[in-house]
Amino acid sequence: MTVDGKKMSSDPKMNAMNRRGWLRLAGGTLAALQPLFASAELWAAPARLGANMSAEGVPRFEYHSLGGERELPTLRFAGWHPVKPEMLVLTRRGPSQQLHRLAGPGLAPEPLTEGRDGVGSAMWEPTGAYVVFTRDQGGNEAWRLYRLDGGSGGIGGTAPVVLTPEGERVSEYAFLPKGQGLVYLQERLDRRPRPETPVEDDDEREETALATQPAQQAASEAEPAAEGKEGGKDVDPSKLLSKSPALANLWWVDPSKPEERRLLGATTGRLTSLRVSPAGRVLAMVTRDGRSQTLEFPLDGSGARVPGAAARLGIGSGAHAEDIIWRRNAAVGEFRHLVRNDVAHGRNRNELTDVGADLEDLAEGPVGGDRPLALVYNVAGVSSLRLYRPGTAPVEIAQDLAPGVIRGVSWHPTLPLLGFEQTSAESPSRLFVHSLEDKATRPWSAAGEGTPLRSSVLRWKSFDGLEITGLHIAPPARFTGPRPVYISLHGGPSSQARPGYVAGVTRALVEQLGMHIVMPNVRGSDGFGKTFLKLDNGRLRENAVKDVSALLDLIASRSDMDASRVVVAGGSYGGYLSLAVATHESPRLAGSICRVGIANFVSFLENTESYRRDNRRAEYGDERDPAMREFLTSISPLTHADAVKKPLMVVHGRNDPRVPFGEAQAMVAAVRAQGTPVWFVSASDEGHSFTKADNRAYLNQASFEFVRRVIGGIKLDR
């Protein structure tokens, strides 16, 4: 046998060996030559979709190094061990965030769970017998409780035991003292839970990063709400509670016998702010028809009552000892402040009302201890950690840390240690511990890598003279002349752009494309007081859009910014804003990116999960009112989709329970119908955010490529 004039062996094995030899030689030669052609497209590999992703209208494009493909470990502080000086932390393992044990400062976290679906939160049982954690499916936020015995089974150990039924959503949970079990808030779901097998791309299917919280942390992070009163009196519990059809329930369960649970309360409204007092009283805030009231729920299921009712009525023998919990509320002045609540007698006392900054988190010491309260204030976007003993002035600690945002503050149950996590320009999330004994604050995990990108404050006047601020990151000095601008709009609406770690796509936009990054805090943002927070409510909604228009005016006036190359992007409510700006300001934009954004307020309010609907109606307006429905339709981006003339990228998870997938489908179809190019990226195993590693990797690549093309005048269809 001859090939190209050369005689080949008749032995098939010999021919195969010869072919492998030539391939090895050719491969080695090509590998040696590759550095000489490093910039040639021949050597570029295509960006790869995640296993369960769809990218409609997105052409094949080449993988681009974003200058840090390895995501830095982000450690979230979940809680302390009851006795040992060790933490439960959440960090990425494989495709998703999983539960780990951190046995000490600087040590490697030991994985306790695994899987494609991530863990949302966790806490130890008070004696250390087991860990309880939450997990959803495919980003649908239908959180279920699981028990991990001993917390030491780990990978390959005892499998977690599910504690709550499928098809329900656990929103908050807390342990009772002295082994009395666990209580949790459960919300009814409108949509069926995601099947085990990822769904295929199906345009007719509308399926439903905040994870379920341990109760005290969730209560601390809740938005301020005024408790309802009628004629100066507490609301009658019977007007707030209902057994059928209930949207929210409060359950007691013994995690060692999960099949036995007891209903403590139910409502057609919403249950939030679950707390267990030092004496073991179970409290939760009930909100229904615009009225809110904190109620006490006896463990025998005998019915809710207003806290302190027994003491006021003289029920029981002997004096009723105080039973104190601490909360935060904006009852006095513009900002959230500390509130002392004696639940035994139903008495509240406002404290530290003149700080002039928002109390964003707090941690109480263990029952019977003498620990001070740990208070976290939002001072112009930067966290300030202070220790407070009632009757004295708060003392600021951890002042040597880089300016940043502190979360998850928690006292150790038995040791004089205060743990917390901090995000700053130096690190995406770093763990710290403050010792009461030597008053030192020490890191428990490493800092980030590379040179930090720091932000400054940008200020401008909006259409009505209101000052709006935002964070600004300038490109490196090597980029001269007017540079393009990327406007990143936060969600919420009551969230806030704050100093943090810049990595991934954002860092690549700055360092590789030489872009300015501007992160506005439009009206309605948190951290600026109650008045500013309410300036976008209801019929004031589009005033926030005008704040972004005023920013475009500022950009046009600056010599270092190129007003002809502006990209606006945002997620959730920020996604709505990006669409709204695209409809109002299309001639002044190069392109827009909408991630899980609202396109039509009416369909959004009708289809978001029921447990969220009344809360969102209070913010946006009630679509059931004909006049408000007409107004909401008039300001919805979908109504004005024909005004979007510049390229649009839409990103949405198919399991999103907050902003249903149909919002994205409708906007994409409407914008494409009038000829504007649209990139549409979705995933069947994601919800309101993209958390899986492979999905995030492609999304980052596609986002960078979209921006690169629209500011460079490169076609989007090939």
Side-chain angles (χ1 to χ4, degrees):
M1 179 181 179
T2 60
V3 177
D4 291 337
K6 295 183 180 180
K7 188 173 182 179
M8 301 292 290
S9 169
S10 59
D11 184 350
K13 292 184 178 180
M14 183 62 69
N15 285 332
M17 291 176 64
N18 289 335
R19 285 194 296 270
R20 287 196 295 269
W22 278 107
L23 288 172
R24 282 196 296 269
L25 176 61
T29 303
L30 291 173
L33 292 173
Q34 182 172 347
L36 300 177
F37 304 96
S39 61
E41 188 171 329
L42 173 65
W43 305 108
R48 299 179 63 179
L49 277 168
N52 301 301
M53 295 187 79
S54 171
E56 301 174 15
V58 183
R60 179 185 183 276
F61 63 91
E62 308 305 333
Y63 171 88
H64 185 87
S65 174
L66 300 180
E69 304 307 318
R70 182 182 70 85
E71 286 195 14
L72 292 177
T74 300
L75 272 66
R76 284 184 51 205
F77 179 38
W80 287 106
H81 187 280
V83 180
K84 302 175 185 177
E86 66 179 40
M87 298 178 176
L88 286 175
V89 299
L90 300 171
T91 191
R92 186 171 296 280
R93 174 180 170 82
S96 59
Q97 175 179 269
Q98 298 296 327
L99 181 62
H100 294 68
R101 173 195 287 108
L102 185 61
L107 299 180
E110 174 193 346
L112 300 177
T113 61
E114 62 182 345
R116 184 163 179 82
D117 290 318
V119 173
S121 63
M123 66 166 55
W124 279 99
E125 185 271 337
T127 67
Y130 52 84
V131 171
V132 166
F133 68 89
T134 59
R135 169 174 276 157
D136 71 347
Q137 282 190 320
N140 64 3
E141 300 184 28
W143 302 101
R144 300 177 72 185
L145 282 173
Y146 293 81
R147 186 189 77 229
L148 185 62
D149 290 333
S152 59
I155 304 303
T158 304
V161 177
V162 65
L163 302 180
T164 55
E166 190 174 23
E168 299 178 352
R169 178 184 188 270
V170 175
S171 60
E172 300 175 38
Y173 58 102
F175 279 103
L176 295 163
K178 301 176 182 178
Q180 293 177 296
L182 178 144
V183 288
Y184 66 92
L185 302 181
Q186 166 255 316
E187 293 166 324
R188 191 186 77 193
L189 297 174
D190 301 326
R191 296 165 179 83
R192 291 175 297 176
R194 170 185 173 272
E196 292 294 338
T197 303
V199 298
E200 297 300 323
D201 189 19
D202 179 356
D203 286 345
E204 296 182 357
R205 190 179 184 107
E206 291 185 16
E207 298 175 289
T208 57
L210 295 176
T212 296
Q213 300 281 356
Q216 185 168 343
Q217 184 177 347
S220 177
E221 293 181 356
E223 293 184 13
E227 297 204 15
K229 302 283 182 179
E230 290 183 342
K233 298 180 181 180
D234 294 313
V235 177
D236 182 352
S238 65
K239 295 182 178 181
L240 297 174
L241 299 175
S242 172
K243 290 189 176 181
S244 179
L247 289 179
N249 298 296
L250 171 58
W251 295 94
W252 170 91
V253 68
D254 179 354
S256 65
K257 302 175 182 178
E259 66 279 359
E260 300 175 8
R261 64 175 182 172
R262 182 186 310 134
L263 183 65
L264 304 184
T267 179
T268 56
R270 198 175 187 194
L271 286 165
T272 57
S273 304
L274 177 65
R275 295 293 300 274
V276 175
S277 74
R281 291 180 172 89
V282 178
L283 304 133
M285 180 178 289
V286 186
T287 301
R288 180 179 171 188
D289 299 328
R291 297 175 297 180
S292 297
Q293 177 72 48
T294 295
L295 298 176
E296 178 185 345
F297 295 84
L299 291 177
D300 61 7
S302 57
R305 59 193 180 212
V306 175
R312 288 195 294 267
L313 296 174
I315 299 174
S317 59
H320 292 264
E322 287 189 327
D323 190 12
I324 306 300
I325 63 172
W326 295 87
R327 302 167 54 193
R328 61 191 186 100
N329 205 343
V332 178
E334 282 287 314
F335 297 98
R336 298 176 184 90
H337 55 77
L338 189 64
V339 179
R340 181 184 187 272
N341 183 199
D342 176 5
V343 296
H345 299 87
R347 294 193 291 252
N348 295 332
R349 185 176 74 211
N350 299 318
E351 299 201 13
L352 304 178
T353 58
D354 58 351
V355 174
D358 213 36
L359 178 60
E360 59 182 344
D361 200 0
L362 67 93
E364 301 176 52
V367 177
D370 62 349
R371 315 279 174 79
L373 292 169
L375 309 177
V376 182
Y377 284 95
N378 178 347
V379 181
V382 175
S383 293
S384 171
L385 179 57
R386 307 172 188 182
L387 301 183
Y388 172 63
R389 297 184 186 276
T392 66
V395 177
E396 188 170 6
I397 63 172
Q399 298 182 63
D400 294 336
L401 302 187
V405 178
I406 291 174
R407 296 187 177 92
V409 60
S410 177
W411 285 108
H412 192 285
T414 55
L415 302 173
L417 303 175
L418 179 70
F420 59 92
E421 61 183 85
Q422 189 217 36
T423 299
S424 70
E426 279 75 18
S427 179
S429 185
R430 197 176 187 190
L431 302 178
F432 290 91
V433 172
H434 179 80
S435 171
L436 273 184
E437 291 182 339
D438 61 10
K439 298 180 173 53
T441 303
R442 299 179 176 87
W444 268 45
S445 61
E449 300 174 354
T451 303
L453 293 181
R454 304 185 189 280
S455 60
S456 59
V457 177
L458 198 65
R459 303 177 186 275
W460 65 96
K461 291 293 181 68
S462 192
F463 71 99
D464 56 356
L466 181 69
E467 183 179 75
I468 305 297
T469 62
L471 299 182
H472 173 221
I473 300 173
R478 68 178 182 275
F479 294 99
T480 59
R483 301 303 306 168
V485 182
Y486 184 87
I487 300 174
S488 178
L489 298 160
H490 67 69
S494 54
S495 185
Q496 183 183 6
R498 304 177 68 179
Y501 189 74
V502 180
V505 177
T506 305
R507 191 179 192 99
L509 296 179
V510 175
E511 295 185 336
Q512 298 184 31
L513 300 184
M515 298 188 75
H516 292 271
I517 307 296
V518 181
M519 296 168 277
N521 282 311
V522 298
R523 65 191 68 205
S525 298
D526 204 1
F528 300 90
K530 288 191 298 187
T531 300
F532 192 86
L533 191 69
K534 296 177 181 178
L535 289 179
D536 66 341
N537 284 6
R539 293 181 179 273
L540 302 176
R541 181 61 47 202
E542 287 204 311
N543 288 347
V545 182
K546 295 177 182 178
D547 293 340
V548 183
S549 295
L551 172 58
L552 294 176
D553 295 338
L554 174 69
I555 291 170
S557 72
R558 290 181 57 126
S559 61
D560 61 337
M561 296 183 177
D562 186 348
S564 68
R565 295 190 291 166
V566 177
V567 177
V568 62
S572 192
Y573 176 72
Y576 152 72
L577 282 178
S578 71
L579 292 177
V581 173
T583 64
H584 285 273
E585 300 285 2
S586 190
R588 296 208 279 178
L589 300 178
S592 305
I593 300 176
C594 170
R595 298 184 300 272
V596 296
I598 301 167
N600 181 344
F601 279 109
V602 172
S603 59
F604 158 71
L605 290 167
E606 289 178 338
N607 294 301
T608 191
E609 282 284 349
S610 294
Y611 65 82
R612 307 184 70 253
R613 192 168 295 128
D614 284 347
N615 177 273
R616 296 297 82 193
R617 283 170 174 159
E619 172 72 37
Y620 299 122
D622 192 335
E623 84 289 356
R624 296 169 297 183
D625 175 75
M628 179 56 73
R629 188 183 188 91
E630 181 180 0
F631 170 76
L632 291 172
T633 300
S634 72
I635 68 168
S636 292
L638 185 62
T639 303
H640 308 284
D642 59 349
V644 181
K645 302 300 184 183
K646 298 297 175 62
L648 173 66
M649 178 176 177
V650 175
V651 180
H652 218 108
R654 288 177 170 268
N655 299 324
D656 191 343
R658 305 185 189 196
V659 181
F661 184 59
E663 294 294 302
Q665 292 174 300
M667 193 69 191
V668 168
V671 174
R672 281 179 173 166
Q674 48 94 30
T676 300
V678 181
W679 286 14
F680 186 19
V681 178
S682 63
S684 63
D685 58 348
E686 301 284 13
H688 200 59
S689 60
F690 278 46
T691 62
K692 310 299 189 299
D694 54 343
N695 295 342
R696 285 173 59 86
Y698 179 82
L699 177 58
N700 289 342
Q701 288 286 319
S703 299
F704 180 87
E705 182 69 11
F706 178 85
V707 174
R708 186 184 73 85
R709 292 190 182 203
V710 298
I711 67 170
I714 304 170
K715 289 184 176 294
L716 275 80
D717 57 356
R718 65 172 187 268

